[in-house]
Amino acid sequence: MSLPPGHLRLPRAAAAVVDLVAAPLAQALHAVRLSEQLRVSRGRVVSALEEERRRMRRDLHDGLGPTLTGIGYTADAAVNLIATDPDRAIETLRGLRADVGDAITDIRRIVYGLRPRALDELGLVDAVRQRIAPLRAADGRPLTVTIDAPDRLPPLPAAVEVAAYRVAVEAVTNVARHSDGAIATLTLELPDPGSLHVTVADTGHCTEPWTHGVGIRSMYERVEQIGGKLTITTTPEGSTVTAHLPLAMPG
């Protein structure tokens, strides 16, 4: 606000207005700062969490997994070595071997749930391609998905990579569930050096409205946690899911 011509200070009425709005304006600015701090803090937490999950997967898979496998082979050897009460010992150790096998299966399930194994083994694009390959349309036809992506993606933060994978897979899965078509398009693009866009679109009619179940809520949460934006549109001409993901984590 500038001073009126010929005035060295604000007129009384203007000063009263400034006094009136100063406190609410200060509170609003403070709220904006707090919101930005929260966004930055949340981004740091999510990034750290995904990196920790990556580390846990490596440690569990390379450490505890082989250890339990060794225990299983040791149990097999014990079956051949124990001479006293062999029938009962063999029965017990065979049960132990089965238990160890189940434990190994559970560990693998937990490890791969933390971070999809295919991301590390195949990369984002091929991991998505592998996951959606078995999907079929609502009428049973194979679902044909055209993937349009760069030949080589840059290294992605762990949280961004997981979010892109989960959004792509869930969106294509929803096409299979809700569209009467059997063709979809998945696009991964880098419109600028700082963001990745994931878009899934189809031209089929929705057989039923998309409901905000666990899958859709999870997509929104993953994208929002890393400071991105997710939009879902459904029309009689088809549906489109678009995720704008920042490549640089907040903070």
Side-chain angles (χ1 to χ4, degrees):
M1 178 181 292
S2 60
L3 292 174
H7 287 73
L8 297 179
R9 64 179 60 185
L10 286 175
R12 180 175 299 177
V17 172
V18 171
D19 291 340
L20 183 64
V21 302
L25 181 60
Q27 292 177 353
L29 292 174
H30 181 61
V32 170
R33 285 195 296 269
L34 290 178
S35 177
E36 177 63 16
Q37 291 171 2
L38 177 61
R39 185 183 70 84
V40 171
S41 176
R42 183 174 60 184
R44 288 173 177 167
V45 169
V46 172
S47 182
L49 178 60
E50 289 297 343
E51 294 296 346
E52 180 65 11
R53 284 174 171 171
R54 177 181 283 175
R55 184 194 67 78
M56 287 177 60
R57 178 188 180 277
R58 182 176 62 248
D59 291 346
L60 287 172
H61 184 268
D62 296 342
L64 187 56
T67 298
L68 290 177
T69 301
I71 292 173
Y73 287 125
T74 300
D76 287 340
V79 169
N80 299 323
L81 295 173
I82 295 177
T84 60
D85 199 0
D87 292 339
R88 185 173 180 182
I90 289 173
E91 180 182 355
T92 301
L93 289 176
R94 282 178 175 165
L96 175 62
R97 182 65 180 84
D99 292 342
V100 171
D102 291 341
I104 294 172
T105 300
D106 287 343
I107 289 173
R108 287 174 176 166
R109 176 181 55 79
I110 294 171
V111 167
Y112 301 154
L114 292 174
R115 175 178 170 84
R117 175 180 58 174
L119 282 177
D120 294 325
E121 296 179 350
L122 304 175
L124 175 59
V125 175
D126 286 338
V128 172
R129 182 179 285 113
Q130 180 190 70
R131 181 65 181 82
I132 65 178
L135 292 177
R136 291 182 172 271
D139 61 4
R141 290 178 292 168
L143 184 65
T144 301
V145 181
T146 301
I147 299 180
D148 183 8
D151 293 334
R152 185 180 181 88
L153 288 171
L156 302 174
V160 173
E161 193 173 39
V162 172
Y165 174 85
R166 297 298 189 192
V167 168
V169 171
E170 181 63 27
V172 173
T173 300
N174 274 301
V175 171
R177 290 173 179 166
H178 301 297
S179 174
D180 64 1
I183 299 176
T185 301
L186 166 61
T187 304
L188 299 172
E189 58 182 344
L190 299 162
D192 56 70
S195 62
L196 171 68
H197 291 184
V198 181
T199 304
V200 175
D202 74 280
T203 56
H205 296 89
C206 291
T207 56
E208 57 185 59
W210 287 26
T211 57
H212 282 239
V214 174
I216 291 180
R217 286 199 303 270
S218 177
M219 284 197 293
Y220 274 108
E221 290 171 359
R222 284 187 177 274
V223 172
E224 291 173 355
Q225 282 174 347
I226 61 174
K229 181 180 179 182
L230 181 78
T231 58
I232 298 176
T233 59
T234 58
T235 70
E237 289 73 36
S239 60
T240 302
V241 176
T242 303
H244 295 179
L245 308 175
L247 295 185
M249 295 298 296

